[in-house]
């Protein structure tokens, strides 16, 4: 039997967990930078690229938070 509901639930759970992980990464990256760590050191601590650190700590359109918000808006079910 094909369990479509379970698959959809798993996808929704994965999206929620990804969003939480991104938020935690953003919070930690910002805290490390505020504590005086360089972008390179922050990247090494988190195991991510320097570019990703810059994305996580940016407060501008196109930043991780902005992109996440747009994705969430687009993913909401519509009344059809």
């Amino acid at each position: 039997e094909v369990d479509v509901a379970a698959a959809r639930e798993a996808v929704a759970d994965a999206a929620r967990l990804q969003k939480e992980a991104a938020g935690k990464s953003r919070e930690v990256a910002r805290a490390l930078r505020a504590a005086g760590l360089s972008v390179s050191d922050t990247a090494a601590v988190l195991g991510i690229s320097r570019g990703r650190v810059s994305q996580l700590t940016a407060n501008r359109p196109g930043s991780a938070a902005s992109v996440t918000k747009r994705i969430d808006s687009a993913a909401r079910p519509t009344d059809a």
Side-chain angles (χ1 to χ4, degrees), residues 3-70:
D3 194 348
V4 175
R8 287 183 178 175
E9 184 178 341
V11 169
D13 289 345
R16 180 184 50 77
L17 291 171
Q18 178 62 37
K19 185 177 177 179
E20 288 176 15
K24 289 178 184 176
S25 293
R26 193 169 20 264
E27 181 181 319
V28 171
R30 288 177 177 165
L32 292 173
R33 293 289 291 133
L37 271 71
S38 68
V39 171
S40 294
D41 289 342
T42 300
V45 168
L46 294 176
I48 59 176
S49 71
R50 291 178 299 157
R52 183 65 180 141
V53 170
S54 294
Q55 288 176 337
L56 292 171
T57 57
N59 288 319
R60 64 181 188 275
S63 68
S66 174
V67 171
T68 298
K69 186 175 181 179
R70 286 187 290 147

